[in-house]
């Protein structure tokens, strides 16, 4: 039976035998020397062999057998600590003892190394040995801190002193390793704590954080850390991360604000905490006593509860008989939720007890005193050097930097900034107390924040923002928690700097706030963190950090935006990535080559713009705060408020300010009208477990919450009266923006969609000659871009159109042959013989979108001859194959597309087809630029000036002819001389430049009478009377002409057919016809030039105010045309025939045009005649007779 119950040990017996023999050979107690420890003969070799066993067996084979054997054999307590205790201070020069002590420290480091739980590497051995070894490490720490004879930590530090004494330039790699080993040993001692879930072998108080701090102070560990930190960067460089880890495990969980409290204030705070704990216990016991079993209900009671769905539930207890509410409450308490297990939890979600910093750690008075002294010295001498060196190492991603070091770095920044603020507050309070007691009037010394300036610079902010964004993207919530704490404490520090009396601190605080609030990405990140809180993934510490960050950031941003009304923020937006293309040397020679950049952009510039696409805009705080009044943000604070009985006063104020801002400042109280939120608010102030009201601070916050809940309920009742049907249902659900708008206004929000814009029209460059080559370019572009489906669709459209057009042409030819006689060439006949237009019908949404958005496809169909009906920005515009395209042309286009689709054209120098097109606007600009600069070297004298010279000229100037004659003479003289050709060209260019500059200077000085004229101040009644008389004559003659046209049109239209087709767009390009001008009886005397100019200006003013007469004509083809007439007051007076030839020639042209227009109007029938309005002195006057 004993053999069957015997369980084989997981450790190999041979391994156990080797380890035990080596431990025995290290040394032991001697009976001859009164029980003192004596080293063995080969103690140093045995210690080295034990180290090899740890490295070669445990580490390489991923086992813990050797460490288990060393723990069972009592190696640490019985040998290693005894050896270090015998090494006295005066024996530093003894090399043998120094080597043995170093070997002991090298063994203590792996034996005290913390265990990291990794599922991928965990084996059966790990699960077997790890609990035993964790308890063994606790015993190691206890023996090291409480050794009876010597100070073990001081002895370990003495091992590193010879290496530290060496100059950095002369220090060997072995010396750096010795210093690193000692730091790792100190880190392990600070890290080891009682493991949760394991039995306590001895008193836990012997290994607490307070005992560790006292031991570090007594054994000069703090001085050692200060020496290393203050010399970081000068004497030490590789040990910064070890010092960081030691400080992190020493300070995590300690409240820095309580560290600098005076004794009386601290005792009061601790007494308040103790009272709160007692009150919570009392409430818990009283609540239990109400329903606790008594001797009268020992027989038990069980009742049946019938629910709505005809199901029965059982509830036990006599207290559920008389009250229905208590029955339902007890029924709810019996319900249990089986939370589903998450099998794929990430490493960040595992309970990392070694890196936890949200759990508060209490300190006793001696530990608080010693730690406070160390922190003050550290801030004064070591903070800036250490953290500057660490920031640079993290930025360049040094090999010694691990992912956990960034988390520790930012957490310690927040801790030390909080400690500095607490120290300054305590110092101010102490000075105020002393000043009040001594009645002194001297001014206090103004202290600067220079002691923590290394973490308040732009480099640290950039690193912090990048770290928070990366942690959020990687869903590393513990890292993001440390980043949020750091950012919040930076804001607190900047806020205190802004209230400082030091001018330098004020300037720095203003600069920091401007940099923080300038980035829109920072605003979006704070909002995203608050919105994306998930109770299943995040801890309460994370919830507390994100709510505090949002509260502090929003409050400081509101204050800063009020002080800086013109606050600008930089927003970053995504841009479309453009195609990269290479610049050809030939493009510089091509005058049209520079226009490609306007269409496609330069690849180098596009790459730079893609990296820095940002723009500034004015910041609107109300708009930004409204983004916090959303349902996800409210849900985060609601989840935070569910812990109301465990929250502090500051945390309750934080939640209260958020709900007050959302409900009343932002006028979004509808977002709180949800059933669970209403129940939580009621439970908060009137429930069975309301807020505590023991202290004065608790009573004050309770009154604030009571008033808030009362106002929320009041608005809820008022809104229920207005929207009873809808709001009664919406109480069960979260509120979307559309629902909130409907509940607020009673109707849905109207969404106005922006009209889409068409892309830039393209054209083939003029360098490509021939219609066939241009069509090849368009087809090649679509082939290169992989748009074969669009080409196939175009081919199908052309094929169907060819069949339809061919059938129509054959039918028309047969009809003409059957008639046998040629039809008269009239408009009606031409309309009947024209082929019907074919509408291009897309078969799916992709083709319909491409017709509007794809300018390459539009280029191809434009080259084919397909036209568009409607505006260019109309996405529903139709495309038709016009009547002018014959079947032969359609067949030719179809053959060319098939040809170029499978055999795309190639161009010289590897030019792509896309490089041979440009925007039509760029082509127009290139044409104008070429026309303006296409001149000889000397200039032709016909430059385009900035503005007109001063109005029309009545006679033709001979200056141009004279200038040409002078140039011809000058050229003849130059050709006949012996002047060198290069010198002649240079002089010609110089003369041309001077002439152009003189002409421009002359034109700039001109003040034209067209722009500066004080005609409104002139008064001439005789001239006005004559002007109105002529206007009346013109109107009468115009009315007579219109009446005659109406009569003739009605007579001619009586015999016409009304079933003629209307061709939309057939005459779209036709120019509007002008109304004939009626020549007055021009027998008046010729007026002077000034009088003519005044009359022209008066007429132009009257024409600008008089409405243009419009007439709709029903033409012979049924088309509606719109004609625009220019009133006679705006036309130039026609002089007599005795004037100059040029003016008489213009008059004859006006008369001929009027006669032609009159003949054209005789066959038209006007539909309506607009009412004529009276004009007097350039203003419209309504006539009383119209009524």
């Amino acid at each position: 039976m004993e053999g069957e119950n015997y369980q084989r040990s997981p450790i190999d017996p041979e391994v156990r035998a080797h380890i035990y023999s080596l431990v025995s050979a290290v040394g032991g107690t001697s009976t001859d020397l009164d029980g003192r420890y004596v080293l063995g003969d080969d103690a140093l070799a045995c210690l080295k062999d034990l180290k090899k066993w740890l490295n070669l067996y445990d580490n390489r084979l991923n086992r813990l057998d050797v460490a288990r054997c060393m723990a069972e054999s009592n190696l640490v307590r019985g040998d290693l600590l005894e050896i270090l205790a015998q090494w006295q201070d005066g024996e530093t020069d003894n090399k043998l003892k120094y080597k043995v002590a170093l070997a002991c420290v090298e063994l203590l480091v792996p034996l005290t190394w913390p265990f990291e739980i990794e599922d991928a590497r965990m084996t059966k051995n790990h699960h077997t040995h790890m609990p035993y070894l964790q308890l063994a490490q606790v015993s190691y720490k206890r023996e090291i801190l409480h050794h009876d004879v010597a100070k073990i930590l001081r002895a370990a530090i003495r091992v590193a002193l010879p290496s530290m004494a060496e100059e950095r330039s002369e220090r060997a790699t072995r010396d750096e390793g010795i210093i690193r080993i000692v730091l790792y040993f100190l880190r392990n001692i600070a890290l080891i704590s009682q493991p949760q879930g394991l039995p306590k072998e001895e008193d836990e108080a012997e290994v607490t954080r307070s005992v560790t701090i006292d031991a570090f102070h007594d054994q000069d560990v703090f001085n050692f850390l200060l020496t290393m930190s203050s010399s970081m960067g000068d004497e030490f460089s590789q040990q910064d991360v070890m010092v960081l880890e030691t400080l992190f495990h020493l300070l995590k969980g300690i409240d820095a604000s309580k560290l600098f409290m005076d004794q009386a204030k601290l005792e009061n705070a601790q007494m308040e905490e103790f009272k709160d704990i007692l009150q919570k216990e009392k409430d818990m016991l009283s609540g239990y006593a109400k329903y606790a079993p008594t001797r009268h209900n020992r027989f038990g009671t069980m009742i049946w509860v019938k629910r709505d769905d005809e199901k029965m539930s059982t509830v036990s207890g006599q207290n559920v008989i008389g009250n229905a509410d208590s029955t339902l409450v007890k029924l709810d308490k019996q319900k249990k939720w089986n939370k589903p297990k998450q099998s794929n939890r990430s490493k960040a979600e595992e309970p990392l007890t070694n890196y936890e910093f949200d759990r508060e750690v209490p300190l006793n008075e001696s530990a608080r005193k010693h730690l406070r002294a160390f922190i003050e010295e550290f801030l004064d001498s070591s903070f800036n050097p250490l953290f500057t060196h660490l920031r640079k190492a993290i930025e360049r991603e040094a090999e010694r930097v691990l992912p956990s070091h960034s988390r520790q770095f930012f957490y310690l920044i927040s801790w030390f900034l909080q400690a500095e603020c607490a120290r300054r507050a305590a110092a101010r309070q102490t000075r105020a107390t002393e000043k009040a007691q001594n009645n002194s009037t001297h001014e206090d010394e103004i202290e600067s924040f220079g002691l923590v300036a290394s973490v308040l610079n732009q480099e640290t902010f950039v690193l912090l923002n990048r770290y928070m964004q990366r942690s959020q993207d990687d869903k590393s919530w513990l890292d993001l928690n440390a980043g949020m704490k750091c950012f919040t404490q930076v804001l607190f520090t900047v806020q205190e700097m802004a209230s400082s009396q030091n001018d330098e601190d004020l300037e720095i605080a203003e600069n920091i706030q401007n940099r923080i609030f300038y980035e829109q990405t920072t605003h979006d990140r704070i909002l995203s963190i608050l919105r994306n809180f998930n109770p299943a993934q995040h801890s309460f510490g994370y919830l507390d950090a994100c709510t505090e960050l949002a509260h502090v950031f929003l409050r400081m941003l509101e204050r800063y935006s009020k002080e800086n009304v013109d606050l600008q923020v930089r927003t970053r937006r995504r841009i479309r990535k453009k195609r990269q293309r290479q610049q050809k040397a030939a493009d510089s020679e091509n005058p049209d080559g520079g226009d490609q950049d306007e269409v496609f952009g330069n690849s180098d510039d596009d790459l730079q713009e893609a990296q820095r696409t940002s723009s500034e805009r004015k910041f609107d705080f109300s708009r930004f705060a409204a983004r916090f009044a959303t349902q996800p943000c409210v849900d985060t604070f609601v989840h935070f408020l569910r812990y109301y009985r465990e929250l502090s006063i500051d945390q309750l104020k934080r939640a209260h300010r958020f709900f007050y801002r959302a409900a009343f400042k932002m006028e979004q109280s509808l977002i709180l009208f949800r059933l669970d939120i209403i129940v939580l608010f009621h439970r908060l102030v009137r429930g069975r477990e309301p807020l505590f009201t023991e202290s004065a601070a608790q009573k004050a916050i309770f009154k604030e919450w009571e008033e808030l809940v009362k106002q929320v309920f009041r608005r809820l009742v008022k809104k229920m009266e207005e929207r009873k049907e809808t709001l009664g249902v919406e109480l069960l659900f979260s509120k979307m923006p559309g629902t909130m708008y409907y509940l607020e206004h009673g109707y849905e929000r109207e969404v106005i969609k922006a009209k889409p814009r068409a892309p830039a029209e393209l054209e083939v460059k003029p360098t490509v000659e021939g219609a066939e080559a241009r069509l090849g370019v368009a087809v090649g572009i679509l082939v290169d871009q992989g748009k074969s489906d669009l080409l196939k669709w175009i081919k199908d459209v052309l094929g169907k159109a060819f069949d339809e057009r061919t059938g129509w042409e054959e039918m028309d030819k047969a009809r003409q042959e059957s008639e046998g006689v040629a039809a008269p060439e009239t408009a009606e006949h031409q309309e009947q013989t024209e082929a019907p237009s074919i509408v291009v019908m897309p078969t799916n949404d992709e083709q319909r979108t491409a017709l509007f958005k794809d300018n390459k496809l539009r280029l191809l169909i434009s080259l084919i001859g397909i036209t568009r009906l409607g505006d260019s920005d109309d996405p529903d515009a139709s495309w038709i194959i016009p009547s002018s395209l014959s079947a032969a042309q359609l067949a030719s286009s179809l053959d060319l597309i098939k040809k170029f689709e499978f055999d795309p054209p190639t161009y010289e120098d590897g030019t792509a087809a896309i490089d041979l097109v440009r925007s039509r606007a760029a082509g127009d600009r290139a044409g104008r630029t070429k026309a303006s600069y296409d001149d000889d070297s000397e200039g032709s004298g016909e430059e385009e000036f900035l503005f007109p010279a001063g109005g029309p000229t009545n006679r033709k100037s001979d200056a141009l002819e004279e200038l040409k004659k002078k140039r011809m003479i000058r050229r003849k003289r130059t050709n006949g001389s012996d002047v060198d050709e290069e010198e002649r060209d240079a002089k010609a260019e110089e003369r041309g430049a001077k002439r152009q500059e003189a002409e421009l200077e002359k034109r700039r000085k001109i003040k034209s009478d067209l722009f500066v004229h004080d005609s409104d101040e002139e008064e001439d009644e005789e001239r006005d009377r004559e002007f109105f008389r002529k206007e009346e004559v013109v109107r009468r003659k115009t009315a007579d002409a219109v009446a005659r046209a109406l009569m003739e049109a009605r007579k001619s239209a009586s015999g016409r057919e009304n079933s003629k087709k209307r061709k939309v767009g057939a005459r779209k390009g036709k120019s509007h016809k002008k109304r004939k001008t009626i020549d007055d009886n021009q027998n008046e005397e010729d007026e002077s030039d000034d009088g003519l100019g005044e009359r022209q200006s008066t007429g132009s003013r009257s024409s600008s105010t008089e409405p243009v007469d419009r007439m709709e004509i029903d033409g012979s083809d049924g088309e509606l045309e719109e004609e625009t007439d220019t009133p006679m007051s705006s036309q130039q007076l026609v002089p007599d025939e005795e004037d100059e030839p040029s003016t008489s020639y213009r008059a004859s042209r006006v008369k001929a045009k009027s006669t032609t227009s009159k003949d054209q109007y005789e066959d038209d029938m006007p539909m309506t005649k607009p009412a004529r309005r009276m004009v007097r002195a350039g203003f419209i006057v309504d006539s009383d007779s119209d009524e």
Side-chain angles (χ1 to χ4, degrees), residues 1160-1179:
Q1160 292 177 353
Y1161 291 159
E1162 289 179 356
D1163 296 333
D1164 298 336
M1165 183 178 68
M1167 301 297 295
T1168 59
K1169 178 182 178 182
R1172 184 166 60 249
R1173 309 177 73 175
M1174 296 183 63
V1175 179
R1176 178 175 298 173
F1179 297 94

Side-chain angles (χ1 to χ4, degrees), residues 948-991:
T953 306
N954 290 331
R955 63 184 182 85
K956 188 176 180 180
S957 176
D958 297 333
L960 181 59
E961 298 295 335
E962 294 178 1
L963 183 60
K964 290 182 178 180
K965 292 180 181 180
K966 291 180 181 180
R967 288 177 180 170
M968 293 297 295
I969 296 173
R970 190 184 302 115
R971 288 174 182 172
K972 291 180 180 179
R973 292 176 182 175
T974 305
N975 293 334
S977 61
D978 297 331
V979 183
D980 190 12
E981 184 177 358
E982 296 181 358
E983 184 179 356
R984 183 171 61 250
D985 294 340
K987 291 181 179 180
E989 293 178 359
E990 183 179 358
R991 287 194 301 272

Side-chain angles (χ1 to χ4, degrees), residues 145 151 153-154 157 209-226 250 366-375 377:
L145 296 180
K151 298 179 178 181
L153 296 178
R154 180 180 175 85
I157 293 175
R209 189 76 60 85
S210 299
V211 175
T212 305
I213 291 174
D214 290 337
F216 275 29
H217 176 267
D218 295 338
Q219 301 185 30
D220 297 332
V221 177
F222 282 154
N223 294 332
F224 175 74
L225 295 177
L226 288 173
L250 193 66
S366 62
R368 192 174 66 85
K369 179 180 177 181
H370 296 154
L371 185 60
R372 176 176 179 174
F374 167 70
I375 295 302
E377 294 182 6

Side-chain angles (χ1 to χ4, degrees), residues 163-173 175-176 231-239 389 396 400:
S163 299
M164 294 174 61
E166 298 287 340
E167 295 289 339
R168 180 180 176 182
S169 57
E170 300 178 357
R171 195 177 299 153
T173 307
D175 296 329
E176 297 287 349
S231 303
M232 196 62 64
D234 297 334
E235 297 294 333
F236 309 99
S237 61
Q238 302 295 323
Q239 295 81 14
H389 200 267
R396 64 173 180 267
R400 64 182 183 275

Side-chain angles (χ1 to χ4, degrees), residues 787-797 897 901:
K787 299 178 180 179
S788 301
D789 51 347
L790 295 179
L791 280 177
K792 181 181 179 182
W793 173 58
I794 294 297
K795 290 189 297 182
D796 295 340
V797 170
I897 292 176
E901 182 181 7

Side-chain angles (χ1 to χ4, degrees), residues 251-261 266 273 359-363 368 371 411 415 418-419 422:
L251 301 176
K252 63 180 181 181
I254 297 176
D255 191 356
S257 60
K258 295 181 180 179
L259 200 63
F260 291 91
M261 287 184 181
L266 181 62
E273 292 180 0
R359 185 177 302 171
E360 186 175 355
V361 177
L363 297 179
R368 192 174 66 85
L371 185 60
Y411 175 78
W415 198 95
Q418 185 181 6

Side-chain angles (χ1 to χ4, degrees), residues 446-461:
I446 301 176
E447 298 181 0
S448 175
F449 281 84
L451 298 177
V452 291
S454 61
V455 296
L456 296 177
N457 50 20
Q458 183 64 15
E459 291 80 2
T460 306
F461 297 151

